[in-house]
Amino acid sequence: MAGENAVRLRPPNNRLNERAVNWWRTQCLLTAAVPALVLAVLGAFIEPARTWLLVPAGVIAVLGLAGTAFFPAWWYRVHRWEVTDEAVYVRTGALWQEWRIAPMSRIQTVDTVRGPLEQAFRLATVTVTTASAKGAVRIEGLDHEVAAELAERLTRITRATPGDAT
């Protein structure tokens, strides 16, 4: 029978920082605005293809605005993370939810990343690299100070955790 400290699939407790919603909104807007703008500018200058360029530009703009209004708030409600002395727990996704557990004994590296947009929102991403073929576990949308403290904590815990022989 497993002990009380066994690593098991369970909902993580912590939400991301609230600023992650506006960070995601900005990403969605930029993702939709760039192609919509390119198509609109081309449509304005290339008269024979105007309809073929402006209609997709409008569709992309409308879908981008709808996605920007809906998805970031949903993602914020779904995304969770937690770190215990035994493991890192992450739940991500909207339609297809992914639950990941990284036992401390399997962690190889811990990195903190802050892209330009994340810096503007005072956010950071903590990446936990493990021996898993699935790849690294990422906790995005953390306050940059929380991310730095988390990276330090994970480093201390993994340093004190014996490697897994399995």
Side-chain angles (χ1 to χ4, degrees), residues 10-163:
R10 62 180 181 72
N13 288 326
N14 303 316
R15 286 183 178 252
L16 303 177
N17 188 282
E18 301 87 21
R19 292 188 305 271
V21 174
N22 288 329
W23 173 55
W24 285 324
R25 283 192 177 126
T26 303
Q27 287 177 321
C28 289
L29 281 175
L30 290 172
T31 300
V34 170
L37 186 61
V38 168
L39 290 171
V41 168
L42 289 173
F45 289 110
I46 304 173
E47 190 173 336
R50 186 164 287 150
T51 301
W52 294 105
L53 294 168
L54 292 180
V55 169
V59 169
I60 290 170
V62 168
L63 291 176
L65 288 173
T68 298
F70 176 72
F71 285 111
W74 185 8
W75 294 334
Y76 180 73
R77 284 192 300 274
V78 172
H79 285 65
R80 295 282 187 281
W81 68 277
E82 184 177 356
V83 173
T84 67
D85 287 342
E86 291 79 32
V88 176
Y89 300 85
V90 178
R91 182 180 73 188
T92 60
L95 297 175
W96 287 268
Q97 287 189 4
E98 180 177 45
W99 298 50
R100 303 273 311 270
I101 301 172
M104 291 298 171
S105 61
R106 305 294 287 169
I107 294 176
Q108 296 175 335
T109 62
V110 178
D111 301 302
T112 304
V113 177
R114 296 183 69 205
L117 203 51
E118 283 177 300
Q119 290 178 40
F121 285 96
R122 300 183 330 270
L123 298 172
T125 298
V126 172
T127 303
V128 178
T129 306
T130 67
S132 169
K134 180 70 175 165
V137 174
R138 295 172 46 93
I139 308 171
E140 298 179 329
L142 296 175
D143 177 85
H144 67 97
E145 291 174 355
V146 170
E149 291 169 10
L150 180 59
E152 287 178 24
R153 178 177 174 219
L154 284 169
T155 301
R156 279 193 311 273
I157 294 171
T158 55
R159 195 177 312 137
T161 303

